């Protein structure tokens, strides 16, 4: 049994990659204030250096998601950012347009009743698609904050039509290699209606946009009782799952470290993906991306926690005997079927993880190795001095 497990875990981890977000390395805040950390990244140079550390210690984070307005300064040559990423042993991953911060987006971007605002949002999206082509990224990732706060405030049908038209225009600009992923979120920042509030709305916008549009599942964007793995399974079956933004939540879109609240839910999501892979004989092309930002945990340590937890849960999910599960499901032996899945979840895979890391010349305990490297105290001193010199507060993620 043990040998069988180890080869399953090795096979799973060999194929497992997860993208870290540039914004997860910089200072962020709550809506009540920004909380600064000396070692938090200030510039894209810092963010890529930090992302390079996470990849170096875990071996599974080769790409970094970027936020266009926060990571590409006006007039900056995108090729320089590509070179910077390479210097740190990573590549630019998904491109995230910023359609929620400009003052003119107060009443929406793609859904704004003012055609000039919609055009401004469209132009930024077209520019983001072009940027993706320049930096060799094949994912453009849309999160739309559009919505309203009071009954009667907005014509929801008209907004749906505006949004649909804009996504169709963006889709036309994609290269053959690019995929656009459309994220959904039930509420926040608006609190009466959100124009892309659930997976069905995202699915319809994708279908109407074109064949290179897929749904992005942010694990923090669901009501407490929702069965996320069922949504994932449906989207997989429809070939409409573009990828994930992984984080954990206790109440809403809390962006906590993955698995910190409900590791079994993440395991069930990975299980459904691996069960699909077993049945279809092929792994789906989906982007595993992290979307977390922390005001209290040290940034890089939080990212290492998320990445190593994701590896651990993916390794556990790889232990499920899909063939046996199918037999038990067919016979409706629900207790045995559940026990088969539970046994995998409760298996201690740390020995296998350590063996895989050893076999790949990686530290067996990435978090401990990072702490021993002294990287954090070094950059804390340097960045603290730079903040004082530049007379700035926290990181540039909301610059
Ligand atoms: C916020 C939004 C959404 C988006 C992320 C990065 O809720 O998840 O993907 O910021 O822009 O978390
Ligand atoms: Mn997200
Ligand atoms: Mn979110």
């Amino acid at each position: 049994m043990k040998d069988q497990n180890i080869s399953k875990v090795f096979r799973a981890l060999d194929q497992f990659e997860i993208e870290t977000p540039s914004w997860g390395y910089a200072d962020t805040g709550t809506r009540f204030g920004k909380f600064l950390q000396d070692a938090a990244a200030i510039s894209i140079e810092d963010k890529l250096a930090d992302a390079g550390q996470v990849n170096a210690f875990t071996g599974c984070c080769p790409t970094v998601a970027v936020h266009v307005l926060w990571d590409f300064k006006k007039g900056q040559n995108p090729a320089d950012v590509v070179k910077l990423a390479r210097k740190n042993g990573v590549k630019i991953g998904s491109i995230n347009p910023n359609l929620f911060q400009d003052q003119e987006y107060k009443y929406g971007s793609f859904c704004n009743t003012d055609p000039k605002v919609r055009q401004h949002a469209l132009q930024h999206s077209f520019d983001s698609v072009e940027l993706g082509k320049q930096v060799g990224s094949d994912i453009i990732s849309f999160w739309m904050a559009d919505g309203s706060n009071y009954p009667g405030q907005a014509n929801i049908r008209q907004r749906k039509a505006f949004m649909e038209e804009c996504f169709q225009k963006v889709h036309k600009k994609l290269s053959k290699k690019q995929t656009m992923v459309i994220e959904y979120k039930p509420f926040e920042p608006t609190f009466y209606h959100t124009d892309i509030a659930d997976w069905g709305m995202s699915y319809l916008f994708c279908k109407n946009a074109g064949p290179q549009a897929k749904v992005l599942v942010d694990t923090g964007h669901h009501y407490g009782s929702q069965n996320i793995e069922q949504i994932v399974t449906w989207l997989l079956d429809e070939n409409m799952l573009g990828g994930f933004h992984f984080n954990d939540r206790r109440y809403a879109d809390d962006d906590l470290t993955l698995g910190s609240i409900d590791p079994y839910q993440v395991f069930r999501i990975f299980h459904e993906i691996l069960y699909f892979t077993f049945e279809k004989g092929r792994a789906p092309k989906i982007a595993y991306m992290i979307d977390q930002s922390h005001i209290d945990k040290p940034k890089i340590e939080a990212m290492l926690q998320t990445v190593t937890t994701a590896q651990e849960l993916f390794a556990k999910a790889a232990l499920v005997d899909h063939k046996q599960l199918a037999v038990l499901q067919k016979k409706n032996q629900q207790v045995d079927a559940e026990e088969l899945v539970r046994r995998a979840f409760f298996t201690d895979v740390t020995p296998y993880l350590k063996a895989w890391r050893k076999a790949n010349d990686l530290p067996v305990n990435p978090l401990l190795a990072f702490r021993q490297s002294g990287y954090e105290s070094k950059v804390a001193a340097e960045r603290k001095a730079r903040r004082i010199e530049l007379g700035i507060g926290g990181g540039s993620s909301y610059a």
Side-chain angles (χ1 to χ4, degrees), residues 23 32 41 54 120 123 154 163 191 196 203 243 293 296 317:
W23 57 93
F32 308 107
V54 172
H120 177 75
Q123 190 52 55
M163 184 82 92
F191 295 100
I196 314 180
Y203 176 92
S293 55
D296 51 5

Side-chain angles (χ1 to χ4, degrees), residues 62-264:
T63 58
V64 185
V66 288
H67 239 298
V68 176
L69 295 190
W70 301 339
D71 297 326
F72 292 83
K73 294 290 166 248
K74 268 215 173 345
Q76 179 172 26
N77 180 350
D80 294 343
V81 179
V82 171
K83 276 194 216 108
L84 260 177
R86 197 175 308 119
K87 191 182 107 191
N88 289 288
V90 290
K91 286 193 317 181
I92 300 301
S94 59
I95 302 287
N96 292 261
N98 184 321
L99 294 166
F100 48 83
Q101 217 171 328
D102 293 13
Q103 289 302 311
E104 61 193 327
Y105 293 145
K106 182 175 180 182
Y107 295 114
S109 56
F110 281 3
C111 296
N112 201 294
T113 50
D114 180 346
K116 284 198 295 306
V117 176
R118 296 201 300 274
Q119 190 50 42
H120 177 75
L122 264 177
Q123 190 52 55
H124 176 60
S125 304
F126 296 160
D127 295 348
S128 301
V129 169
E130 289 317 307
L131 180 66
K133 293 171 189 169
Q134 288 172 41
V135 301
S137 158
D138 49 16
I139 293 182
I140 172 119
S141 183
F142 285 90
W143 171 61
M144 311 306 289
D146 292 40
S148 67
N149 287 305
Y150 298 97
Q153 177 181 358
N155 179 331
I156 295 174
R157 279 172 293 101
Q158 185 182 65
R159 293 174 69 94
K160 173 176 176 288
F162 287 153
M163 184 82 92
E164 189 171 297
E165 185 192 354
C166 286
F167 278 135
Q168 284 167 344
K169 287 180 177 169
V170 173
H171 191 280
K172 286 197 173 81
K173 302 285 186 185
L174 299 176
S175 71
K176 287 208 178 27
K177 268 184 48 189
Q178 284 177 306
T179 298
M180 58 190 267
V181 290
I182 299 177
E183 194 169 353
Y184 58 89
K185 183 173 180 179
F187 70 94
E188 190 194 39
T190 55
F191 295 100
Y192 170 66
H193 100 277
T194 298
D195 289 297
I196 314 180
D198 66 25
W199 75 271
M201 295 176 198
S202 169
Y203 176 92
L204 284 171
F205 281 130
C206 290
K207 278 293 184 195
N208 291 322
Q212 292 167 243
K214 306 271 183 186
V215 178
L216 176 67
V217 176
D218 183 309
T219 50
H221 291 187
H222 299 84
Y223 295 115
S225 57
Q226 267 183 291
N227 183 329
I228 302 176
E229 62 269 26
Q230 179 182 5
I231 295 169
V232 169
T233 309
W234 268 63
L235 291 172
L236 276 173
D237 214 38
E238 295 293 324
N239 188 27
M240 285 300 286
L241 178 63
F244 291 89
H245 271 178
F246 281 117
N247 46 64
D248 211 339
R249 36 144 311 148
R250 181 72 200 85
Y251 297 101
D253 184 26
D254 313 328
D255 281 354
L256 302 176
T257 35
L258 176 79
S260 56
I261 306 296
D262 186 352
Y264 193 36

